[in-house]
Structures are given as C-alpha cells and as structure tokens.
Amino acid sequence: MDGAVSSHENQFELTEDQRAIQEMARAFAEDRVAPHALEWDREKHFPTDVIRETGPLGLGGIYVRDDVGGSALSRLDAVLVFEALSQACPAFSSFISIHNMAASMIDRYGSEEQRQRFVPKLTSMEWLASYCLTEPGSGSDAAALRTKAVRDDDHYVLNGVKQFISGAGDSEIYVVMARTGEDGPKGISTFVVEKDTPGLSFGANEHKMGWHMQSTRQVVFEDCRVPAANMLAQEGKGFSIAMSGLDGGRLNIGACSLGGAQSALDKALAYAGERKAFGKSIDQFQALQFRLADMETELQAARIFLYTAAAKMDAKAHDTSKWSAMAKRFVTDTGFRVANDALQLLGGYGYLHDYGIEKLVRDLRVHQILEGTNEIMRLIIARHMIGR
C-alpha cells in the first residue's frame, strides 16, 4: 500500500499514530509470519506460539478497553492491523480477527467480574478464543440454531454441536450461542465456555480448500455443565450479542481480503517486470497493463469503501450495519477477484505453491462465505434499503 489513502476530502490521510500501528503490524508480519506462511499451509500447522507473540504487541484486544489490558483502538485502526497482517498470511490474520471478536464481546457485554476474570488473559494472548455460532444444520439461518442450554441450579447444561469453528481444540475460551428459550432469535443466550469443562470435546481437523494453517473442528457439547455465572448479559440476549460481534467481524475479514489481494498484486507486478516474452518484459504489453490498472483501481476502491465503513462504526452511525454488510460483500469479492487475476498473470507459475499466489486464492475464497455469506450480505443491504 503506497502511503496513505486519500479521498477527495482527504478523509483517510492516516494519522502518525495510525501509520505507526500499521508499520508495527507489517513489521511483525514480515518478520514472524511471512517466512513461514507457505510451510504452515503445507504442513497444516497452527502456529499458536507465533499467534501468542501478538499479545505483547497489543493485538490480543485491539478494540478492547484498556483496564483489562486492551489497546482501546478504533475500528479503523483495527482494519489497518488486519490488512497489514494479512499481507503475510490471510489465514493467520483471520484467526487474530476471530479472537478479537470473541474477546471484545466479553469486554462489551460481560459483567465487571466476567471482564476481569476472562479478558486480561485474552488480551495478553495467554488464552486464545473461538466464536461458536454456526451449526451443522444452521449457517446462514443462524437463528435456527439447536444447541440447547438448560438451567440446572447454578449451572446450565449444554447439548449440541457447533460446526466450522476456527481454533477449536486449541483455544482456551469458547464464546457459544445456545438456545435457552423459545424458537427464533429471542430464545438464544451467550455463554463463555472454558476448554477444560467436562462434556466439551472436539471433532477431527477438517480438510479444507484454504486456511490450512488454522485448525477447524466441530465443537461438541454432551451434558456440558457451564456455570450460570458464565452467561453474558441476560437470557435471550445472545442473538443480538452474536450479530453485533459479526458487524465488526465483517470489517475485519474485509481487511484480511484486502491485505491478501494486495500481496497477490505486488507479486504479480514484480513478476511482470521480470518475465520476458517476445523480446521484452511482459509489463510492456498494453493488455497486461490494462489488467494491472484495473486490479489497482478496484483494490483502492475497496480500501476506501472499507475504511469508510470502519469510520462509520467508530462514529456509531445509524447505518453501520448496512455499511458493514456492503463493505464485506464488495471487499471480499474484489479481493478474491484480484488474487485470481494475479494468478492468471503468472500463468503456470501462479499455479505452483512456491510462488505463494495459489495459497492466497485458496485462503481468500472462504472470506466470501464466512461472517455471513455474500448472498446474506445482499439480503441485509436490501432490507436496510427497503426499510425492514
């Protein structure tokens, strides 16, 4: 990314602090993530040791309040961090995003006792956190979830299965949406479940198209007894807590697409300057120059769109949810397309693992699915437009 992004209003001339945050994240990613990203992908290795190293940098609770060890940064600052990290590896950056989403939900909705008990260990990255909403039978229709939580004295007994959970089996903390009441969104509550809770177990690591360096498993509850003191807010508030977490998660995942696509474009540009065909470097051919120009234009448009959506969330604008959905849809679609075009530009080399672009294409593809599919984003946008 060449310096600050500026719109005609100079809206996103980044502050010195923001540049410093961006530079810190980029330096860490270049030093500790980029040299290992292809190996982690190949070996399907989840680098919890390197993930924990982000804690002392303040990346374990980017927008968590500072009294529990958070960095208390803005959502725009967070977007800059995830964009910078994902230039080294989108799958690494995405896990940091998921952890932050879970930590911030406890910070925002937890009681003072819960905040002090859980959040400092999350912000330091001593504990990793996973977000458990999706189930084998409910993805886009999240309010149809079936995992049940039944009150038993001073505990709730959880039974059910969560699907596609990043960090499952490795994380110490699981923020879980479960049904405590009637069907639909009003019967859902949120629980903080600790890894060593009896009745909690994990499925096998899934074989996936991308995000190979992340563990993805089912989270299984079989008469899992969770203290009532671990419920966030009150019974029936779980769905709105889950959705508010996703609004921000959508910005984060957009940022991860942006950084990954930028990395792919940078690789394609470097390759085009070195590769010779018909007596000259291929970046001298006009057809290829046009392709590069379009990739750059679309990526910069996505960047300004994402930064605007993040600024709206910071300003608590009334249309934040709509802008989060629009940004998630536009930026993840654009990011995947730019990475895919970069692969095409490298020809046969783009298809080889060692060049790093096929990994970016695989990693970015899932961003169009998770945190709400891009079809669901269109539904959210349309409902806001039509006034539902």
Side-chain angles (χ1 to χ4, degrees), residues 55 58-73 99-100 102-127:
L59 304 187
I62 298 171
Y63 35 88
V64 167
R65 284 172 279 178
D66 54 12
D67 66 315
V68 282
S71 298
L73 296 176
H99 170 91
N100 270 271
S104 73
M105 286 164 70
I106 302 173
D107 176 51
R108 190 167 161 194
Y109 296 103
S111 65
E112 203 44 49
E113 187 273 331
Q114 289 169 333
R115 291 180 69 240
Q116 298 298 339
R117 180 155 53 110
F118 295 119
V119 184
K121 287 186 173 167
L122 295 172
T123 53
S124 68
M125 283 289 195
E126 181 185 337
W127 287 352

Side-chain angles (χ1 to χ4, degrees), residues 102-387:
S104 73
M105 286 164 70
I106 302 173
D107 176 51
R108 190 167 161 194
Y109 296 103
S111 65
E112 203 44 49
E113 187 273 331
Q114 289 169 333
R115 291 180 69 240
Q116 298 298 339
R117 180 155 53 110
F118 295 119
V119 184
K121 287 186 173 167
L122 295 172
T123 53
S124 68
M125 283 289 195
E126 181 185 337
W127 287 352
L128 305 181
S130 293
Y131 174 90
C132 303
L133 175 63
T134 300
E135 298 187 356
S138 65
S140 293
D141 184 11
L145 66 83
R146 311 255 301 267
T147 296
K148 270 206 159 31
V150 178
R151 184 83 191 231
D152 178 28
D153 201 16
D154 58 354
H155 282 72
Y156 281 84
V157 180
L158 272 63
N159 280 286
V161 179
K162 296 295 180 179
Q163 180 81 9
F164 305 129
I165 306 305
S166 291
D170 292 290
S171 291
E172 284 79 14
I173 291 291
Y174 298 85
V175 177
V176 180
M177 275 38 82
R179 187 165 302 288
T180 49
E182 62 191 83
D183 286 350
K186 291 191 172 67
I188 295 169
S189 302
T190 301
F191 298 89
V192 180
V193 183
E194 295 168 79
K195 185 180 182 177
D196 56 5
T197 307
L200 175 65
S201 63
F202 307 98
N205 199 359
E206 303 283 6
H207 297 287
K208 310 186 291 291
M209 174 180 173
W211 274 25
H212 287 169
M213 56 73 52
Q214 266 192 43
S215 55
T216 304
R217 296 182 172 89
Q218 285 191 338
V219 176
V220 183
F221 304 95
E222 296 171 296
D223 293 333
C224 179
R225 291 180 64 80
V226 178
N230 284 22
M231 179 190 279
L232 291 186
Q234 307 92 42
E235 271 201 13
K237 295 286 184 212
F239 193 73
S240 57
I241 292 174
M243 292 303 110
S244 76
L246 280 177
D247 264 353
R250 286 166 183 157
L251 299 180
N252 298 350
I253 218 69
C256 294
S257 285
L258 200 56
Q262 183 67 58
S263 178
L265 176 54
D266 292 346
K267 289 177 196 292
L269 193 58
Y271 178 84
E274 293 161 9
R275 175 75 172 182
K276 297 276 196 295
F278 309 105
K280 53 187 176 181
S281 63
I282 64 172
D283 63 2
Q284 298 307 299
F285 293 102
Q286 194 178 56
L288 204 142
Q289 291 175 348
F290 283 7
R291 172 71 65 90
L292 287 167
D294 283 346
M295 290 159 78
E296 171 72 2
T297 303
E298 287 173 21
L299 212 50
Q300 293 290 10
R303 183 171 281 121
I304 291 169
F305 201 141
L306 183 66
Y307 289 9
T308 302
K312 277 185 172 283
M313 181 164 276
D314 285 328
K316 297 185 167 52
H318 69 94
D319 53 357
T320 291
S321 289
K322 175 183 158 190
W323 273 81
S324 289
M326 290 196 299
K328 195 271 177 181
R329 202 290 295 163
F330 184 74
V331 180
T332 58
D333 281 350
T334 301
F336 177 74
R337 194 167 58 244
V338 167
N340 201 36
D341 283 351
L343 190 153
Q344 185 70 19
L345 213 144
L346 266 75
Y349 291 106
Y351 207 66
L352 298 182
H353 184 73
D354 289 352
Y355 283 75
I357 290 189
E358 64 85 33
K359 173 191 179 296
L360 290 166
V361 172
R362 287 187 290 105
D363 282 351
L364 294 188
R365 181 62 183 85
V366 75
H367 295 193
Q368 295 168 291
I369 298 170
L370 49 77
E371 312 287 38
T373 65
N374 285 1
E375 290 73 24
I376 291 293
M377 294 308 99
R378 291 179 172 91
L379 203 59
I380 292 169
I381 297 157
R383 282 177 176 172
H384 278 278
M385 291 168 70
I386 297 161

